[in-house]
Amino acid sequence: GVVALEEKHSKKMSALDAAKTDESPTTTQKASDEGVEEGGDGEGAAAEEEEATAVFQPLVTLEEVETVSGEEAEDTIMQLRGKLYRYTETLLDKGTGKKQWIERGVGEIKLYKNRESGQQRFLMRQEKTLKLIVNTLIDPRIRMAKMDSNDKTWVWTCYDFSDAEIVEEVFAFKCISVEDAATFKEAFDKSQSEMRELLEGKDKAADPASDEAAEALAKLSTSEE
């Protein structure tokens, strides 16, 4: 009887072990996967809830300011790209009187004509920085000559105002091509002629008051005779 009882107990234990061994892992894995998905959804929801919605106002508000250069009142007569040189002393040779050609900048030199006054000037800004490197009126007394060593470069002396003070300078403008050099000189000659007429008053309309004064003076002289 005892042996039969032990065998019965042994069979129950074997059956229980077999049941544990045959348990499908899919149930446990499914529960685990559901936990991950639930956890992911929870984290996403938390991230959405924690998203910043605050609006920060700047400490200083900058107003848009319109920059007036003076070029707005002028018409462009000529515009050519090239390289500008200035005949001057280097920092090391300052005060020695030893001068040489120093590159001043690359960009477009423009010939402007003021719509009201009729005055014309050369103006050039350095590329990218837009720094003013030439600002000079077209003076009828200027003599422009071609550089002996380069037929694409013109040299002239003028009073320049690009550094906020009038300074006598010697400039050289190197054009890209010989054709551009010819265009540059032709535009300068025409501008110089127009400026000469402007300064002499030839392009101004006759003043009726002046004519009347001259006529009265002539009659007065005649009567006195």
Side-chain angles (χ1 to χ4, degrees):
V2 175
V3 174
L5 182 61
E6 289 180 354
E7 289 180 355
K8 186 177 181 180
H9 178 71
S10 178
K11 289 180 180 180
K12 288 183 178 181
M13 293 298 296
S14 298
L16 182 61
D17 291 339
K20 290 183 177 181
T21 303
D22 294 339
E23 184 181 359
S24 175
T26 56
T27 305
T28 305
Q29 183 65 34
K30 183 176 181 181
S32 176
D33 292 343
E34 290 176 354
V36 172
E37 291 177 0
E38 291 176 359
D41 293 340
E43 292 177 359
E48 291 179 0
E49 292 177 359
E50 294 176 0
E51 184 178 355
T53 58
V55 178
F56 296 94
Q57 297 295 335
L59 297 177
V60 179
T61 302
L62 299 178
E63 297 182 358
E64 185 176 350
V65 179
E66 183 179 358
T67 303
V68 179
S69 64
E71 301 170 44
E72 298 82 5
E74 298 172 305
D75 293 324
T76 304
I77 306 301
M78 180 211 66
Q79 181 174 333
L80 289 173
R81 192 174 187 277
K83 184 178 293 186
L84 184 74
Y85 295 87
R86 180 172 60 171
Y87 192 68
T88 186
E89 299 173 345
T90 64
L91 292 177
L92 296 177
D93 295 329
K94 202 70 174 178
T96 64
K98 183 180 178 181
K99 298 182 179 182
Q100 57 181 301
W101 288 110
I102 299 176
E103 182 179 330
R104 187 147 170 82
V106 176
E108 290 186 338
I109 191 167
K110 299 179 181 180
L111 180 58
Y112 280 131
K113 183 175 183 178
N114 189 282
R115 299 188 190 98
E116 295 185 4
S117 66
Q119 289 191 337
Q120 301 183 41
R121 62 170 176 159
F122 272 141
L123 187 139
M124 183 174 178
R125 296 183 184 276
Q126 188 174 9
E127 281 186 345
K128 297 180 180 179
T129 64
L130 300 181
K131 178 184 177 182
L132 198 61
I133 54 179
V134 165
N135 183 19
T136 176
L137 286 174
I138 303 300
D139 193 325
R141 298 169 295 179
I142 294 176
R143 294 293 177 265
M144 185 176 287
K146 186 173 290 186
M147 183 176 285
D148 295 335
S149 59
N150 194 312
D151 58 358
K152 296 184 293 186
T153 305
W154 291 99
V155 181
W156 73 99
T157 302
C158 62
Y159 289 103
D160 181 60
F161 193 69
S162 59
D163 291 328
E165 60 178 352
I166 299 178
V167 180
E168 186 176 358
E169 298 281 10
V170 180
F171 288 121
F173 183 72
K174 184 179 180 181
C175 301
I176 296 178
S177 64
V178 176
E179 291 76 17
D180 281 356
T183 301
F184 179 83
K185 184 62 165 59
E186 182 180 351
F188 170 78
D189 289 344
K190 182 179 179 181
S191 174
Q192 194 175 45
S193 176
E194 292 177 356
M195 282 295 292
R196 184 180 293 108
E197 293 179 0
L198 179 65
L199 295 177
E200 292 175 355
K202 292 182 179 180
D203 61 331
K204 294 183 179 179
D207 187 357
S210 299
D211 292 343
E212 291 178 3
E215 185 178 352
L217 182 60
K219 290 180 179 180
L220 180 61
S221 300
T222 303
S223 61
E224 288 180 351
E225 292 175 358

